[in-house]
Amino acid sequence: MPEKRIRVLIAKPGLDGHDRGAKIIARALRDAGMEVIYTGLRQTPEMIASAAAQEDVDVIGLSILSGAHNTLAPQLMELLKQKAWAT
Amino acid sequence: MTVLLGGTIPEADIPALKKAGIAEIFLPGTSTTRHSNFVRKRAARKTRQGLLNNLAVGVAQLDGGPVRASSIPVQSLPGRPRKRGSSCSGCKYFLATVSASAAVTAESRSGNFRVIIRRKIVQKYFRENPGGLTAGLKHSRQRPWTENPLPGPIPPRSSASRSCGGFP
């Protein structure tokens, strides 16, 4: 059986438009042999949680440069916890 | 799911974010190798955890008190139902055992794992659900659990079975 590839969702929550770092990380993880999905800019925590569920990812990577991390990250964690996906 | 965070995060905010459940925070200047190593390590751990959780879910509907714990070899175990019909290669070959009250204990030894099953509960489950644990799951490439039925009760250990067959 082939080794399962790790699936990663790279997500950009919030309103900042700086996704070069997220793209670099996406590429680095892809080069490391993982399957990477990038959500694109300006996602809400709800969108990220639903994308993560649909893509059945193992890991979510958030990139936040707007300073809103104290709001957005706990919001996403709360959504994941509600669906019992958080580990 | 493991959640990682990167960006311009003040160090003072890190403890609160970790408390919220973020697994790791990567500040500017982190090497990309560190990311991929972290993800790989973390995902391996998570896969194991997920399988255990699923087992617990599969058997959690059953009731019954604790029975003598014993380990049962199982060839493949159901993972999450996957939307994309991808194979679940994380479940190849382990010793698996399940517990009813979701109190699954697991230890990882050189890539294999071992959980504790309460045997009677599992047997009861299989009597009531002949389709096996995979009955409701879409696992196209996976062989159903029932292919490898649970063994019967453990025969009592006799001195004969322990002997090495006539070797002096």
Side-chain angles (χ1 to χ4, degrees), chain B residues 44-129:
Chain B
R45 197 166 88 189
K46 206 242 123 202
T47 309
R48 285 197 282 275
Q49 196 106 53
L51 287 165
L52 299 187
N53 291 344
N54 283 325
L55 275 184
V57 168
V59 198
Q61 318 158 4
L62 311 167
D63 52 350
V67 191
R68 185 167 70 91
S70 56
S71 59
I72 302 170
V74 175
Q75 209 162 19
S76 59
L77 298 174
R80 253 175 310 176
R82 279 164 188 264
K83 288 212 165 171
R84 297 187 148 202
S86 57
S87 69
C88 180
S89 55
C91 352
K92 196 182 163 192
Y93 251 152
F94 20 32
L95 276 180
T97 55
V98 195
S99 91
S101 54
V104 180
T105 51
E107 49 181 327
S108 164
R109 271 192 201 141
S110 63
N112 296 325
F113 54 121
R114 178 186 284 257
V115 204
I116 308 298
I117 291 208
R118 289 165 185 169
R119 173 185 291 261
K120 281 194 184 161
I121 296 168
V122 177
Q123 284 171 340
K124 181 174 165 230
Y125 177 83
F126 273 85
R127 270 199 309 278
E128 292 167 358
N129 303 277

Side-chain angles (χ1 to χ4, degrees), chain A residues 4 32 56 60 62 69 85, chain B residues 1-2 4 6 13 40 80:
Chain A
K4 187 199 164 221
D56 192 22
I60 304 175
L62 299 178
H69 49 271
W85 290 330
Chain B
M1 260 167 236
T2 303
L4 313 176
D13 293 346
R40 195 168 289 130
R80 253 175 310 176

Side-chain angles (χ1 to χ4, degrees), chain A residues 1-8 24-25 28-29 32-35 49 52-67 69-70 73-74 76-78 80-81 85-87, chain B residues 1-10 13 16-17 19-22 30 32-33 35-37 39-44 46-47 49 53 80-84 86-90 92 141:
Chain A
M1 214 183 284
E3 186 63 28
K4 187 199 164 221
R5 294 180 86 189
I6 300 169
R7 294 174 65 82
V8 186
I24 287 173
I25 297 301
L29 297 182
M34 303 172 197
E35 280 180 48
Q54 283 177 15
E55 297 288 350
D56 192 22
V57 294
D58 305 299
V59 177
I60 304 175
L62 299 178
S63 164
I64 307 175
L65 292 100
S66 59
H69 49 271
N70 282 336
L76 177 68
M77 294 314 294
E78 193 48 47
L80 296 179
K81 266 178 208 142
W85 290 330
T87 51
Chain B
M1 260 167 236
T2 303
V3 181
L4 313 176
L5 174 63
T8 47
I9 316 290
D13 293 346
L17 291 167
K19 208 172 161 206
I22 308 283
T30 314
T32 50
T33 1
H35 297 101
S36 51
N37 287 344
V39 169
R40 195 168 289 130
K41 235 188 287 168
R42 190 78 189 189
K46 206 242 123 202
T47 309
Q49 196 106 53
N53 291 344
R80 253 175 310 176
R82 279 164 188 264
K83 288 212 165 171
R84 297 187 148 202
S86 57
S87 69
C88 180
S89 55
K92 196 182 163 192
R141 286 196 230 163

Side-chain angles (χ1 to χ4, degrees), chain A residues 14-64:
Chain A
L15 298 177
D16 78 273
H18 306 285
D19 63 348
R20 182 172 291 199
K23 285 175 175 166
I24 287 173
I25 297 301
R27 190 159 172 155
L29 297 182
R30 189 202 68 185
D31 290 349
M34 303 172 197
E35 280 180 48
V36 183
I37 301 128
Y38 175 49
T39 58
L41 287 169
R42 302 193 189 96
Q43 305 286 305
T44 63
E46 286 81 8
M47 287 153 91
I48 294 167
S50 109
Q54 283 177 15
E55 297 288 350
D56 192 22
V57 294
D58 305 299
V59 177
I60 304 175
L62 299 178
S63 164
I64 307 175

